[in-house]
């Protein structure tokens, strides 16, 4: 529903509860939460039941659980680091751990970067500017830091007001600096034209190897027709055109 501001506090209950638990129990909570998160995020994979039968269901559940293991490992490292590096605030260790988790997930086992928290903020252009400095993991870390501050404020009465104020300041400062980093689009000195091709082939064709060459040939012809009269700097095809 594009309610991206909710990301700034939806992890707060999970983190708050984990702060009261032993490392293994806290990591288990993150595992369950990550599993539920990916089941919702990747529900579209169930459409493959039409082609692969019941095996598609097992693949959907399996990959959701495997991705949840990243949350489990991240929480385990965070919980133990909090006990070892006690001089470093939790509001720093968890965002760092989370950012590192998303970075590793983006390339480990060929990579799966679709489930980064940062992607929920794609419509927040001011915050998104931080990706120019540290990529999507930095954007996620900023959001997770806010959640951690709120969780600690919820759990501890001491410094509650200060933590809430810091969380609010984090939101304001990250957006303020992001707005300063965001320049107006320069269409005059660096013009660029993109050609977009939507071939619109049905799934029946994409899953049939008999059509593999024909789909590419058809799309290539359309690309030539589109760029015959006007040059394009880049031609974008659908990612699922070539299976």
């Amino acid at each position: 529903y594009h309610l991206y501001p909710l990301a700034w506090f939806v992890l707060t209950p999970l983190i708050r509860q984990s702060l009261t638990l032993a490392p293994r129990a806290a990591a288990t909570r993150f595992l369950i939460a990550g599993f539920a998160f990916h089941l919702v995020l990747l529900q579209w994979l169930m459409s493959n039941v039409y082609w692969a039968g019941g095996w598609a269901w097992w693949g959907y559940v399996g990959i959701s659980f495997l991705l949840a293991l990243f949350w489990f490992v991240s929480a385990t490292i965070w919980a133990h680091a909090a006990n070892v590096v006690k001089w470093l605030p939790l509001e720093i260790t968890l965002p760092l751990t989370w950012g590192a988790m998303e970075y590793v997930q983006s390339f480990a086992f060929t990579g799966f970067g679709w489930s980064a928290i940062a992607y929920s903020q794609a419509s927040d252009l001011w915050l998104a500017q931080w990706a120019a400095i540290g990529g999507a993991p930095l954007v996620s870390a900023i959001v997770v830091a806010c959640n951690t501050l709120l969780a600690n404020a919820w759990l501890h009465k001491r410094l509650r007001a200060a933590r809430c104020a810091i969380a609010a300041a984090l939101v304001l400062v990250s957006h303020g600096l992001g707005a300063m980093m965001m320049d107006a689009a320069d269409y005059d000195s660096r013009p660029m034209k993109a050609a977009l091709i939507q071939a619109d082939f049905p799934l029946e064709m994409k899953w049939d190897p008999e059509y593999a060459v024909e789909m590419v040939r058809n799309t290539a012809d359309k690309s030539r027709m589109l760029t015959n009269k006007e040059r394009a700097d880049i031609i974008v095809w659908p990612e699922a055109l070539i299976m």
Side-chain angles (χ1 to χ4, degrees):
Y1 299 100
H2 302 289
L3 302 176
Y4 59 88
L6 296 180
W8 291 89
F9 55 85
V10 291
L11 289 172
T12 299
L14 171 64
I15 299 172
R16 191 267 184 198
Q17 185 184 47
S18 299
L19 291 172
T20 64
L21 301 173
R24 180 177 294 181
T28 301
R29 295 295 192 283
F30 270 78
L31 175 67
I32 296 171
F35 187 42
F37 171 78
H38 286 95
L39 283 175
V40 173
L41 181 72
L42 303 178
Q43 48 77 28
W44 56 270
L45 288 173
M46 286 298 291
S47 64
N48 291 319
V49 169
Y50 181 82
W51 310 103
W55 286 107
W57 186 88
W58 287 108
Y60 156 64
V61 173
I63 194 171
S64 296
F65 181 78
L66 289 174
L67 291 169
L69 289 176
F70 281 96
W71 287 41
F72 176 81
V73 173
S74 176
T76 300
I77 296 173
W78 166 57
H80 285 290
N83 292 328
V84 175
V85 193
K86 294 183 178 180
W87 54 269
L88 198 60
L90 295 171
E91 291 86 352
I92 295 179
T93 55
L94 181 56
L96 287 176
T97 306
W98 193 285
M101 172 195 73
E102 290 192 355
Y103 174 70
V104 172
Q105 185 177 314
S106 69
F107 66 82
F109 309 110
T110 73
F112 192 95
W114 297 354
S115 54
I117 297 296
Y119 296 154
S120 68
Q121 305 301 299
S123 298
D124 191 343
L125 295 182
W126 288 355
L127 182 70
Q129 301 310 305
W130 288 93
I133 298 176
L138 178 57
V139 177
S140 296
I142 294 172
V143 175
V144 172
C146 182
N147 279 271
T148 311
L149 282 162
L150 294 176
N152 239 339
W154 183 3
L155 181 62
H156 303 291
K157 291 183 178 180
R158 182 174 175 271
L159 299 177
R160 175 172 293 172
R163 288 191 174 98
C164 289
I166 295 173
L170 177 63
V171 175
L172 294 174
V173 171
S174 61
H175 282 80
L177 293 177
M180 294 172 62
M181 287 188 282
M182 184 175 174
D183 295 327
D186 183 2
Y187 297 115
D188 296 326
S189 64
R190 291 181 293 177
M192 179 176 177
K193 289 189 176 181
L196 307 180
I197 304 292
Q198 176 52 276
D200 199 26
F201 295 117
L203 285 175
E204 289 84 354
M205 292 182 66
K206 293 181 180 179
W207 281 88
D208 191 338
E210 293 294 328
Y211 290 100
V213 175
E214 171 59 24
M215 287 191 300
V216 174
R217 185 200 62 75
N218 184 290
T219 308
D221 289 343
K222 291 177 180 177
S223 301
R224 294 189 190 97
M225 291 175 61
L226 187 62
T227 57
N228 269 343
K229 295 183 179 180
E230 196 168 358
R231 182 185 62 85
D233 296 289
I234 182 172
I235 302 175
V236 182
W237 286 7
E239 66 167 330
L241 175 64
I242 303 174
M243 299 297 287

